Amino acid sequence: MTDAESLLSTPLSTTAGQPMRVAVYSRIAQGIRSGAFPVGSALPRETEIGTALRVSRTVIREALMLLEEDGLISTRRGVGRFVTASVPRLGLEGLRPFEVVLAGEQSPLTVDASPMLLQPNTEFVSDHLNLEAEANAWFRESVLHRAGEPVAIVQEHLPAGRYLGDSHPLISAALPRAAEAQATLLAGIQEICGPVLTMASCQITPSIIGASRGKQLNLLETDPVLILTQVAEADSAPIYLAKCIISSIVGPLTVIQSPTT
């Protein structure tokens, strides 16, 4: 059995509220990025994928359209669908966990995550998540390592209690499981819930590390860093806030730009 056949023969697993097309998209994208579907190779036909994954042809077609929109596959009319010759590597324009954004092609990052804590609201959190003053928020800090060297600190915030449970029960239910993994909360939420966070902004600010954070990253307190402040939305409301403090040893960060029309 080939890697592609093995990938497609594994039953799909979805969570409540996750569209089936997203699960199919994720499975095929995983195969493309892992090399199970090599660059330039032809994908199986819609009917073959549908039979293997036990989903309808309509769902397969919707997932393939998403893959084409993201530049992972292309269609040759009358011939079939093919993996693109060069699979795009997303930069900061993609809503992805920071450990994925900052990882190099040959340098995956590991995450040293602290326990998730319930904390009183702060002005920083309230301003970005539009929370009332009396609201509490979940907080988690992680240190990202590359080759054993600390390269970034990620501080994540989500509303707590009814502020999350009433408006986003799927995320609320998934949060304890997401916090169990040695990964950022965003990675856990996306893994469990799929793309429930649908819109995000990321502000980039140059700064210096300071004494306490400098110790965490083995830097002098006056060393320069980049601070990425990310706010993600679900159902058009801000629900996730993260601050990522990045050491200069990470290297350049990519933003893929396209011409406006």
Side-chain angles (χ1 to χ4, degrees), residues 166-180:
D166 290 352
S167 54
H168 302 284
L170 181 63
I171 298 176
S172 180
L175 198 55
R177 286 176 55 200
E180 292 175 357

Side-chain angles (χ1 to χ4, degrees), residues 151 205-210 214 217 219-227 245-250:
V151 296
T205 308
S207 186
I208 59 174
I209 186 66
L217 295 183
L219 299 175
L220 299 176
E221 61 181 281
T222 55
D223 281 345
V225 291
L226 280 181
I227 298 179
I245 302 113
I246 304 172
S247 169
S248 60
I249 68 173
V250 166

Side-chain angles (χ1 to χ4, degrees), residues 57 68 80 98 116 147 191-192 220 222 228 238 260:
R57 187 173 178 179
E68 188 158 7
F98 281 123
M116 191 170 65
E191 175 69 22
I192 298 168
L220 299 176
T222 55
L228 308 183
T260 57

Side-chain angles (χ1 to χ4, degrees), residues 42-119:
L43 287 179
R45 293 190 297 271
E46 291 178 6
T47 52
E48 293 173 337
I49 299 174
T51 299
L53 295 178
R54 300 182 181 180
V55 296
S56 71
R57 187 173 178 179
T58 298
V59 169
I60 298 300
R61 187 176 294 117
E62 291 173 349
L64 293 173
M65 289 173 62
L66 293 174
L67 289 162
E68 188 158 7
E69 289 175 3
D70 286 350
L72 294 172
I73 66 173
S74 61
T75 300
R76 301 179 192 173
R77 189 174 299 276
V79 180
R81 292 182 175 89
F82 292 79
V83 179
T84 53
S86 177
V87 177
R89 182 175 183 269
L90 295 177
L92 290 174
E93 73 282 2
L95 174 54
R96 301 177 301 147
F98 281 123
E99 61 261 43
V100 177
V101 173
L102 301 182
E105 292 293 338
Q106 304 298 325
S107 304
L109 298 187
T110 58
V111 180
D112 182 10
S114 301
M116 191 170 65
L117 302 173
L118 184 64
Q119 294 188 339

